[in-house]
Amino acid sequence: MTKRKSVVMSRKKIVVFASGSGSNFEEIVKKSKSNYIEADVPFLISDKASAGAIKRAIRLGVVPIVINWKNREEAEEKALKILKIIKPDLIVLAGFMRILSPRFVSEWKYKILNIHPSLLPAFQGTTKAIELAEKYGVKITGCTVHFVDESVDGGPIIIQEAIHINDDDTPEKIAEKIHEIEHKIYPLAIKKVIEGKVKIEGRKIKVYE
Ligand code: GRF
C-alpha cells in the first residue's frame, strides 16, 4: 500500500468587531461563506450586548463575544487575551464605536482594518461623518477602507469609493447610498488583504489583481 501525504490547508480566520446594526458584518460573513473571501469568520466581538450585530451573529452561526468596554484598559486586556487564543489573520472593525489604544494597535500592526463613511481625510475622527458632509454641502462623499494605525481614521488607505450628494438627499438617504458601496468595497478590501494582494509602501498601498 502506498502512503499518501495529505496536506491540510487551513483557512484563514477573521474576527469582526462591531457595536451597531452589523450590516457590514453580515455582508462579510456571507461573502466568506460563499468563498468570495477565502477565510472564516468564527467570532464577533462587541462592546454592546444589545447590538444588532449580535442578533445577526447568532442567525449566521458566528459566536458573539461581548466585552464590557467601560474601562478601556481592562477591556483591551480581555480582547487581547481572546485574540491570542483565536489567532486571527485579520481583525475587521465594522462600525466598532471605540478607539483602540496605540498599544493594542501596535500588537496587531497591519492586521486591523476599518471602514469610515467619508472620503478620508475629509470628516476624519468623527462618528458624524455623514451628517457633517451633508451640513457642509459637499457634492461628493463616500467611504474609505484603511489599515488602523495609532491615529484616529488616519491609517494607510486601501480602497475608497465615492457617491454623489443630490440637492434633495437627506443624511438618511446619504447613509443608505454609503452603506450600499460599503457592502461592496469592504469585502473586496478584505479579500485582497487575505489573498496577500495588498502591498504596503509606507503611507501608500498598492492593491493587485
Ligand atoms: C458604517 O457606515 C461604517 O462606515 C461606520 O459604521 C457604520 C456601520 O454600519 N464605521 P453597520 O453597523 O455595518 O450597518
Side-chain angles (χ1 to χ4, degrees), residues 4-112:
R4 248 195 267 157
K5 266 191 197 163
S6 61
V7 183
V8 182
M9 301 280 283
S10 64
R11 248 162 93 85
K12 294 197 168 163
K13 256 182 281 174
I14 297 170
V15 171
V16 177
F17 281 43
S19 313
S21 97
S23 72
N24 280 283
F25 159 66
E26 175 153 0
E27 207 51 41
I28 294 160
V29 173
K30 283 187 176 157
K31 294 215 161 97
S32 125
K33 288 186 176 177
S34 73
N35 276 335
Y36 173 77
I37 297 172
E38 290 171 6
D40 293 323
V41 187
F43 298 98
L44 167 83
I45 292 185
S46 183
D47 59 324
K48 224 172 151 196
S50 61
I54 306 254
K55 286 195 196 88
R56 292 188 200 247
I58 293 163
R59 172 161 52 77
L60 294 162
V62 175
V63 177
I65 301 169
V66 178
I67 298 177
N68 180 334
W69 223 274
K70 261 192 190 135
N71 178 316
R72 180 168 85 168
E73 219 179 303
E74 283 173 24
E76 288 191 349
E77 202 58 54
K78 275 187 200 151
L80 285 170
K81 272 191 193 150
I82 292 168
L83 291 170
K84 252 191 200 132
I85 297 166
I86 302 174
K87 293 192 186 69
D89 297 279
L90 195 63
I91 296 169
V92 169
L93 310 184
F96 186 61
M97 305 305 273
R98 305 281 175 170
I99 292 167
L100 297 171
S101 72
R103 188 206 148 197
F104 189 104
V105 172
S106 69
E107 278 208 30
W108 288 88
K109 199 167 164 98
Y110 294 126
K111 295 240 182 244
I112 310 175

Side-chain angles (χ1 to χ4, degrees), residues 20-25 94-96 114-117 130 178-179 182-183:
S21 97
S23 72
N24 280 283
F25 159 66
F96 186 61
N114 183 42
I115 190 158
H116 187 73
I130 294 173
I178 287 183
H179 263 98
E182 284 186 340
H183 294 169

